[in-house]
Amino acid sequence: MRFLIENFGCQMNDHDMEKMGSVLIDHGHSFAAGIDDADIVIVNTCCIREKAEQKFYSLMGRLQHVRRKTGLILGVTGCIAEQEKENIFERLPFIDFSLGPSNIHKVAEAVDNAKGNLRTGGFGDNACSPSLFIRPHNTRQGVKGFVTIMKGCNNFCSYCVVPYVRGREESRPGADVLAEVREMAGRGIVEVTLLGQNVNSYNNGGGDLSFPELLKEIDAIPGIERVRFVTSHPKDISRELIQCFGTLGTLCESIHLPFQSGSDRILKRMNRGYTAAGYLEKVDALKEQCPGISLTADCIVGFPGETDEDFEQTMLLMERVQFDGIFSFIYSARKFTAAAKLTGPVPPPVAHERLARFQGRQREITLGSNKNMEGKKVEVLVEGPSKNSPDELSGRTRAGKIVNFKGDPDMVYKLVEVDIIKGYANSLRGRCESAPGGKQCSRR
Ligand code: SAH
Ligand code: SF4
Ligand code: F3S
């Protein structure tokens, strides 16, 4: 049968989608070209903010009609599945299965059950769940690969639903991660992103390798040229990890380090476990170890009790660090979480005004940082034709910035040296001197 997976949410979900795709292919199914061609539709869900949930329910409304007409098999997976558990079958009686993130390895079985008109629910946080160990085939085009190194989160930031829907932290043994990365290198993958909600606490208090040791081992794997990881928690960034940025040639000079707020009072109410000064110390150590390191972050505005003064502290932190980019959100109250019971909601117009000011200033900083790149030579991993002008190529620098330039199609999937001639709000324009063919780069 032909399947389609509609995906929402974070990189963990993107990767879970690849895992489910691989499981289904192993069971004889194949990708559908589109909804009209699909026998199975799976919606992989996110509930990090209310908007994500609303999008899901409106999509399900549309899919209900399609199912009625065509009789397709319809499944829900991911974080909303886990959040709602069996209740989802009351709310969406027309679905055939629902699997939380620790149960996605059952996707082929759930499809088989649906063929026999049997409904499947798979919920609960399973330690040693096979879902953590699925090695997806190369379902995504190209030379970039993703590896889950851990699941779950034990931090319980007061606003966040993730610990409730992704369960407790569990690290995959280092030997298993390394075996997967070697296998990927063997298939021609050159850039690896290590995934986990909180990768800095990888193998905390046990396991065969610490996170810095894992990075060192991956650095030594022939063929791997770039390594990235998401997401880091500021409180768990160790001195050893910071040192890796100065010593490991494959580790890209960029880090995503969410700060959430610049106010100590709010950070405490968020249960983040650090102060603004503590965060800045880590940032300074990273900048010292790796001058020019690109920093990105997440931030929440309008958290319950956030005053104008608290918000100014957030603006100050943003100004002080000069991030290359920030994902910023208005606080959204979530089921199960401690913050949902906090008093002092920020009126929506105030929260929107704060967000607009915050984003406006960050846009200026990002543009300044991109303009600063003009005249510099960078290494670009070419990903394919540019989205907006298909006769051009597009790729990313080690810092993760998008570069568009004229080049030979032979350059796709290669590392080439590019001169940056212009910095824009969201991308860079480059020139590849030695085109066609390009000057290829290698760290070794
Ligand atoms: N594990 C990562 C990211 C988790 S979710 C981390 O710890 O940083 C991604 C981002 O969504 C968070 O960093 C936070 O900025 C935002 N977020 C999480 N819960 C939210 C909520 N209830 N309302 C608004 N934004 C939220
Ligand atoms: Fe959520 Fe905090 Fe865990 Fe990140 S560290 S997933 S924000 S609870
Ligand atoms: Fe969303 Fe679940 Fe990721 S709630 S952000 S898909 S962990």
Side-chain angles (χ1 to χ4, degrees):
M1 296 172 96
R2 280 154 309 197
F3 67 88
L4 185 79
I5 307 181
E6 291 281 352
N7 198 50
F8 295 92
C10 61
Q11 294 192 58
M12 253 68 67
N13 254 24
D14 292 345
H15 196 51
D16 284 352
M17 171 179 74
E18 290 195 354
K19 289 181 179 182
M20 289 191 283
S22 291
V23 170
L24 289 169
I25 286 170
D26 287 346
H27 282 77
H29 304 288
S30 57
F31 286 113
I35 183 92
D36 297 334
D37 175 45
D39 310 300
I40 307 165
V41 173
I42 297 169
V43 186
N44 195 30
T45 59
C46 172
C47 50
I48 198 79
R49 284 169 290 275
E50 198 183 348
K51 223 187 236 164
E53 260 189 271
Q54 287 167 348
K55 266 198 224 162
F56 163 68
Y57 285 108
S58 74
L59 173 65
M60 292 313 284
R62 296 197 297 278
L63 287 174
Q64 178 180 12
H65 295 299
V66 182
R67 188 183 189 283
R68 208 175 283 143
K69 264 199 256 159
T70 66
L72 55 75
I73 292 174
L74 189 52
V76 174
T77 55
C79 295
I80 296 182
E82 190 60 42
Q83 177 179 260
E84 298 302 318
K85 298 197 170 60
E86 300 288 347
N87 297 335
I88 202 154
F89 296 120
E90 275 164 44
R91 186 142 184 202
L92 305 172
F94 51 87
I95 63 175
D96 296 290
F97 62 88
S98 184
L99 304 170
S102 286
N103 287 275
I104 55 165
H105 56 285
K106 297 178 186 156
V107 66
E109 185 189 324
V111 166
D112 285 344
N113 289 344
K115 282 194 263 180
N117 279 327
L118 201 68
R119 181 183 260 177
T120 311
F123 313 109
D125 172 27
N126 308 327
C128 289
S129 163
S131 62
L132 182 61
F133 297 89
I134 302 170
R135 291 186 193 174
H137 325 138
N138 201 6
T139 46
R140 229 181 268 205
Q141 283 282 310
V143 289
K144 297 206 310 190
F146 296 78
V147 183
T148 313
I149 64 163
M150 63 187 300
K151 68 161 264 292
C153 181
N154 293 347
N155 284 320
F156 291 93
C157 301
S158 65
Y159 50 82
C160 184
V161 76
V162 171
Y164 304 93
V165 291
R166 292 263 169 179
R168 296 291 64 74
E169 273 178 17
E170 185 184 347
S171 299
R172 231 175 112 185
D176 192 43
V177 172
L178 290 173
E180 184 171 358
V181 178
R182 284 195 195 100
E183 190 185 296
M184 290 162 83
R187 296 194 238 122
I189 297 288
V190 300
E191 181 180 304
V192 170
T193 303
L194 308 178
L195 295 175
Q197 287 295 351
N198 189 16
V199 291
N200 304 139
S201 50
Y202 174 75
N203 267 344
N204 241 1
D208 50 353
L209 292 174
S210 70
F211 188 51
E213 282 166 353
L214 180 71
L215 292 174
K216 275 179 212 150
E217 294 281 338
I218 294 176
D219 188 66
I221 297 177
I224 299 298
E225 299 272 355
R226 291 176 166 194
V227 178
R228 307 181 186 281
F229 55 82
V230 276
T231 299
S232 301
H233 194 301
K235 79 173 164 51
D236 297 320
I237 286 218
S238 63
R239 189 180 297 272
E240 293 77 43
L241 178 59
I242 293 174
Q243 276 165 358
C244 288
F245 281 98
T247 55
L248 301 181
T250 57
L251 190 57
C252 286
E253 294 78 16
S254 79
I255 184 164
H256 186 68
L257 198 57
F259 61 91
Q260 315 297 4
S261 170
S263 152
D264 289 346
R265 207 177 63 81
I266 296 297
L267 285 169
K268 195 151 195 244
R269 277 164 81 84
M270 288 178 163
N271 192 28
R272 286 291 286 178
Y274 55 85
T275 58
Y279 180 89
L280 291 171
E281 253 172 49
K282 303 265 164 115
V283 165
D284 289 344
L286 281 161
K287 286 183 174 174
E288 193 181 318
Q289 189 63 241
C290 182
I293 190 167
S294 164
L295 286 136
T296 54
D298 297 342
C299 180
I300 297 174
V301 303
F303 188 77
E306 183 188 76
T307 62
D308 284 343
E309 175 52 31
D310 293 317
F311 175 65
E312 291 310 325
Q313 299 290 320
T314 297
M315 292 293 290
L316 273 177
L317 191 146
M318 166 179 68
E319 207 60 61
R320 160 80 152 68
V321 178
Q322 298 281 302
F323 293 94
D324 269 338
I326 303 181
F327 296 107
S328 47
F329 315 99
I330 291 179
Y331 167 75
S332 166
R334 301 285 67 210
K335 210 168 173 170
F336 316 124
T337 62
K341 295 177 203 91
L342 286 178
T343 52
V346 173
V350 175
H352 279 101
E353 200 185 305
R354 285 180 190 164
L355 185 72
R357 204 179 126 208
F358 183 89
Q359 292 184 334
R361 179 61 192 127
Q362 182 56 45
R363 263 197 299 276
E364 288 171 5
I365 295 174
T366 303
L367 178 63
S369 155
N370 288 348
K371 289 211 159 298
N372 231 354
M373 296 294 296
E374 291 172 6
K376 294 196 172 135
K377 266 190 200 321
V378 292
E379 175 203 285
V380 173
L381 177 58
V382 186
E383 294 178 7
S386 150
K387 258 195 234 142
N388 296 331
S389 45
D391 57 328
E392 291 193 336
L393 297 177
S394 185
R396 279 183 196 264
T397 67
R398 287 174 61 86
K401 290 185 190 256
I402 296 171
V403 184
N404 296 308
F405 64 100
K406 283 204 172 27
D408 195 273
D410 280 354
M411 291 177 181
V412 172
Y413 301 152
K414 299 206 174 109
L415 289 163
V416 296
E417 200 176 73
V418 175
D419 293 300
I420 300 303
I421 51 174
K422 191 100 184 110
Y424 301 109
N426 301 312
S427 66
L428 305 170
R429 163 147 301 281
R431 186 188 299 128
C432 197
E433 287 262 314
S434 43
K439 180 174 176 215
Q440 291 190 19
C441 311
S442 172
R443 315 237 103 223
R444 295 162 218 278

